[in-house]
Amino acid sequence: MYRYYQNVCTHSYSFVWWDWARWEWELDWMALNGINLALAWSGQEAIWQRVYLALGLTQSEIDEYFTGPAFLAWGRMGNLHTWGGPLPRSWHLKQLYLQHRILDRMRSFGMIPVLPAFAGHIPKSLTRVFPQVNVTQLGSWGHFNCSYSCSFLLAPEDPLFPIIGSLFLRELTKEFGTDHIYGADTFNEMQPPSSEPSYLAAATASVYQAMITVDPDAVWLLQGWLFQHQPQFWGPAQVRAVLGAVPRGRLLVLDLFAESQPVYVRTASFHGQPFIWCMLHNFGGNHGLFGALEAVNRGPAAARLFPNSTMAGTGMAPEGIGQNEVVYALMAELGWRKDPVADLEAWVTGFAARRYGVAHKGTEAAWRLLLRSVYNCSGEACIGHNRSPLVRRPSLRMVTTVWYNRSDVFEAWRLLLTATPALATSPAFRYDLLDVTRQAAQELVSLHYGEARTAYLNKELVPLLRAAGTLVYELLPALDTVLASDHRFLLGGWLEQARAAAVTEAEARFYERNSRYQLTLWGPEGNILDYANKQLAGLVADYYTPRWELFVDMLVESLVQGIPFQQHQFDEKAFWLEQTFVFSTRRYPSQPQGDTVDLAKKLFLRYYPRLVAGSL
């Protein structure tokens, strides 16, 4: 339950601070090296429930406000409300218990938990209790209409602001204690109602004042994502207004996507506020081999050497975990390094030996190929989001270009298979073999789609049937079968984690539907369609494959009848298929089936000779 609803639904922050001594005039209690902190936000809805009841809301109004479990991260940032809810009573109790366990474990390790604070968003129903309250309704978010977004934001000068902020933080710290660091994001991916620096400074100051009213030692942890996400709004004056509204050293900024789009370089190191250089890397918890290892390797040292740098440490902030472990291994090591790794090829060679417990020429060569290809992303292509045709709703306009040479992936696949006699008993090796096999299949889907699209545009029926038929009826089923051989790639296991949070069968169905929505439609109308796409056995077979089958059928029908392919008609029919999957109650295996090595070899022998021959 914790892995599903915490790490996949929000950024999984973990930080190592090595240089707080430079802020010792402000934070002498943190003037030491090696401090580690992470978000601990479970259970806050139970605290908010107490606060809202005390303020006069009814239980039904509170239930209507909270999102479902799979969308709480966005509810907590004010992006969404209501969607996927209401939360069962048992959810609040179990989350309180879970939060206590998380905090106990974190504190026993010497970690510093980051607790939530009031950012200014309130339920609309508070205007019933306080009809004179000064609120602004923000714009919509993520293609959701105002039934589920358009947050109500309390004006910073309204007398209710400090009351709500202090009520929440006092109740929260009474329940959980405090380590004096709090997270709050007022304008995450939402445009403020005014660009006037005075308004932005007041809105920021009101959040901070509510914190220090309860905890005079409070430090505010702020995501710097807003400055990167809407640079057209956040000009120099607007950024300075926010950063200058909190005393220097009491605002700690996360440069959230620093490996790709660092903000410190265009804000004079956040105008003197300390910041953490963060690697975001992954959006949506997507599967897919991806990384910008060179940028990750060089980034922290460059930030530390930046003129008048206020960098305080390094962090990891992925939207999902359970993929691309080499990227996180490097980032974790950099938290303890003063300088970058001098030779990444040598480092990744050593990584392979450490990972498998023995040096092997085949695996080492494979990892060097992966380093120069999938893990060598640079430029605008580095989005950290898998947009392969495999996991997208098909169309004739999908992009298949990648920043690397696909032949490197196929050769790495071959090299890993040469090591199976020596390493087949290694769990890490078997996982990597499956993951590279999965990546190779993803590349093959793109190649077959490209051939099918070319054949359709050239009005060649037989080549279309050949390429598209191979994709739908051979490649996708083979991929699903390989994925089913490892418990980490099972839809059944994913859904069982959600169901395990329930205390009744009705709750289990509710949690499972939340999970299915997050994996697919991400909203009632496919609002952020396939944002959190995964490559899981069962999901490939029953979600992606039916869409592809429909797409191919409609292409063939278009060609045979001599009529244009109608994308909007396909989208309507595809949406029906997607909804069918979301509302399905089919149970999937939660235990692996088949042998990964044998299945990977079988897939390799079917397709690799065709690649070498140049004929798919």
Side-chain angles (χ1 to χ4, degrees):
M1 179 178 70
Y2 173 67
R3 184 178 77 85
Y4 174 74
Y5 285 123
Q6 285 294 117
N7 287 337
V8 178
C9 296
T10 188
H11 294 284
S12 327
Y13 301 117
S14 180
F15 311 108
V16 177
W17 300 353
W18 68 63
D19 205 10
W20 265 105
R22 72 174 65 194
W23 304 108
E24 59 186 353
W25 65 88
E26 301 274 0
L27 297 171
D28 55 354
W29 54 277
M30 296 187 71
L32 58 134
N33 293 335
I35 294 174
N36 188 288
L37 73 156
L39 259 63
W41 282 24
S42 297
Q44 66 172 285
E45 283 69 35
I47 305 300
W48 274 118
Q49 183 171 246
R50 298 175 193 172
V51 172
Y52 291 147
L53 287 171
L55 289 169
L57 267 64
T58 66
Q59 187 63 54
S60 61
E61 288 172 329
I62 297 170
D63 290 342
E64 189 272 338
Y65 179 63
F66 291 139
T67 69
F71 304 94
L72 277 175
W74 297 272
R76 291 165 178 173
M77 293 186 291
N79 305 121
L80 291 176
H81 59 81
T82 307
W83 166 243
L87 294 170
R89 302 289 185 272
S90 63
W91 172 266
H92 298 301
L93 295 173
K94 296 183 77 171
Q95 287 288 293
L96 283 173
Y97 173 66
L98 175 63
Q99 175 76 339
H100 278 291
R101 292 187 64 191
I102 292 170
L103 293 172
D104 288 346
R105 179 59 61 89
M106 288 176 68
R107 288 164 177 159
S108 73
F109 287 155
M111 298 173 68
I112 296 177
V114 179
L115 297 178
F118 178 54
H121 311 111
I122 61 170
K124 179 183 179 181
S125 49
L126 265 179
T127 61
R128 175 190 61 79
V129 182
F130 302 97
Q132 303 303 316
V133 70
N134 186 357
V135 296
T136 300
Q137 188 171 19
L138 301 180
S140 61
W141 176 86
H143 308 292
F144 284 83
N145 62 33
C146 289
S147 297
Y148 301 114
S149 65
C150 307
S151 176
F152 280 79
L153 184 65
L154 192 57
E157 70 275 10
D158 193 282
L160 200 56
F161 199 111
I163 294 173
I164 295 177
S166 59
L167 273 175
F168 173 71
L169 202 58
R170 192 169 285 114
E171 189 69 27
L172 184 83
T173 54
K174 183 175 73 173
E175 179 74 37
F176 299 126
T178 185
D179 296 84
H180 309 291
I181 303 183
Y182 307 96
D185 297 284
T186 305
F187 300 118
N188 182 72
E189 297 189 359
M190 295 182 293
Q191 185 160 311
S194 172
S195 62
E196 285 297 319
S198 58
Y199 168 79
L200 297 171
T204 305
S206 62
V207 173
Y208 178 68
Q209 287 297 320
M211 292 181 191
I212 61 173
T213 297
V214 177
D215 183 356
D217 296 322
V219 176
W220 181 356
L221 185 73
L222 173 72
Q223 293 186 89
W225 179 257
L226 72 168
F227 305 134
Q228 181 274 329
H229 182 71
Q230 292 179 304
Q232 71 282 0
F233 177 89
W234 292 101
Q238 287 73 31
V239 172
R240 187 181 290 274
V242 168
L243 297 175
V246 179
R248 185 170 293 184
R250 293 293 169 177
L251 183 68
L252 177 61
V253 185
L254 305 178
D255 202 346
L256 209 65
F257 199 16
E259 81 273 25
S260 181
Q261 299 176 32
V263 175
Y264 75 89
V265 296
R266 60 181 178 85
T267 58
S269 198
F270 292 99
H271 297 297
Q273 294 286 14
F275 75 94
I276 295 176
W277 191 100
C278 292
M279 179 191 76
L280 199 160
H281 178 257
N282 183 281
F283 290 86
N286 299 161
H287 291 125
L289 299 184
F290 164 83
L293 288 191
E294 187 59 43
V296 169
N297 186 37
R298 301 290 173 183
R304 188 166 54 84
L305 296 173
F306 188 75
N308 300 313
S309 176
T310 53
M311 178 182 170
T314 61
M316 300 183 194
E319 284 191 346
I321 57 175
Q323 35 70 36
N324 293 292
E325 294 175 17
V326 65
V327 178
Y328 300 93
L330 176 63
M331 189 66 233
E333 183 174 323
L334 290 172
W336 305 100
R337 279 180 170 269
K338 180 180 180 181
D339 299 312
V341 172
D343 185 343
L344 276 181
E345 273 207 4
W347 182 88
V348 83
T349 299
F351 170 82
R354 293 190 302 273
R355 186 164 173 80
Y356 308 138
V358 62
H360 189 284
K361 290 183 178 180
T363 59
E364 292 170 357
W367 274 102
R368 287 193 292 270
L369 283 172
L370 295 174
L371 173 65
R372 83 178 191 187
S373 57
V374 291
Y375 293 120
N376 189 33
C377 191
S378 61
E380 294 183 359
C382 291
I383 53 174
H385 201 178
N386 191 348
R387 295 179 179 176
S388 163
L390 168 62
V391 293
R392 296 188 63 194
R393 184 189 281 174
S395 78
L396 289 171
R397 297 187 176 183
M398 292 189 289
V399 176
T400 60
T401 55
V402 291
W403 65 90
Y404 51 89
N405 191 330
R406 286 190 170 96
S407 64
D408 286 341
V409 174
F410 296 131
E411 179 61 10
W413 187 23
R414 186 190 70 79
L415 287 167
L416 284 180
L417 282 167
T418 66
T420 55
L423 298 177
T425 59
S426 164
F429 172 80
R430 296 175 73 89
Y431 172 86
D432 289 343
L433 176 62
L434 189 150
D435 204 20
V436 173
T437 300
R438 179 209 50 72
Q439 185 71 24
Q442 176 180 299
E443 309 296 354
L444 287 166
V445 167
S446 294
L447 294 175
H448 281 86
Y449 160 73
E451 290 200 352
R453 178 175 60 185
T454 298
Y456 172 80
L457 294 176
N458 291 338
K459 299 182 179 180
E460 297 173 339
L461 180 60
V462 173
L464 169 63
L465 291 171
R466 183 186 303 115
T470 299
L471 191 163
V472 173
Y473 299 110
E474 292 184 16
L475 184 54
L476 292 180
L479 172 59
D480 195 81
T481 301
V482 174
L483 293 171
S485 68
D486 190 298
H487 68 92
R488 288 159 289 197
F489 291 91
L490 297 178
L491 175 62
W494 183 271
L495 297 180
E496 285 303 318
Q497 287 187 73
R499 294 178 62 88
V503 297
T504 67
E505 178 57 29
E507 282 186 15
R509 290 194 296 269
F510 167 70
Y511 291 147
E512 178 177 344
R513 184 160 300 167
N514 255 249
S515 179
R516 286 174 180 256
Y517 261 119
Q518 190 198 67
L519 287 170
T520 57
L521 289 170
W522 223 104
E525 299 172 339
N527 306 63
I528 315 179
L529 181 66
D530 296 321
Y531 179 84
N533 63 76
K534 307 285 186 295
Q535 294 174 41
L536 303 171
L539 192 65
V540 171
D542 288 352
Y543 179 72
Y544 299 127
T545 299
R547 286 199 308 200
W548 274 104
E549 189 171 3
L550 174 64
F551 180 67
V552 170
D553 286 348
M554 291 184 67
L555 286 182
V556 171
E557 182 182 13
S558 165
L559 209 56
V560 169
Q561 295 185 5
I563 57 176
F565 174 75
Q566 299 294 330
Q567 182 69 43
H568 70 280
Q569 291 181 5
F570 168 76
D571 288 342
E572 291 175 358
K573 294 180 179 180
F575 179 62
W576 183 84
L577 291 175
E578 293 153 356
Q579 280 191 312
T580 298
F581 173 83
V582 168
F583 286 93
S584 171
T585 58
R586 177 180 176 181
R587 303 292 290 272
Y588 292 87
S590 56
Q591 296 298 319
Q593 301 172 345
D595 180 76
T596 296
V597 173
D598 290 344
L599 292 168
K601 286 181 179 177
K602 185 176 180 181
L603 192 64
F604 176 85
L605 291 173
R606 179 181 298 176
Y607 290 100
Y608 189 81
R610 303 183 197 178
L611 289 166
V612 173
S615 59
L616 292 176

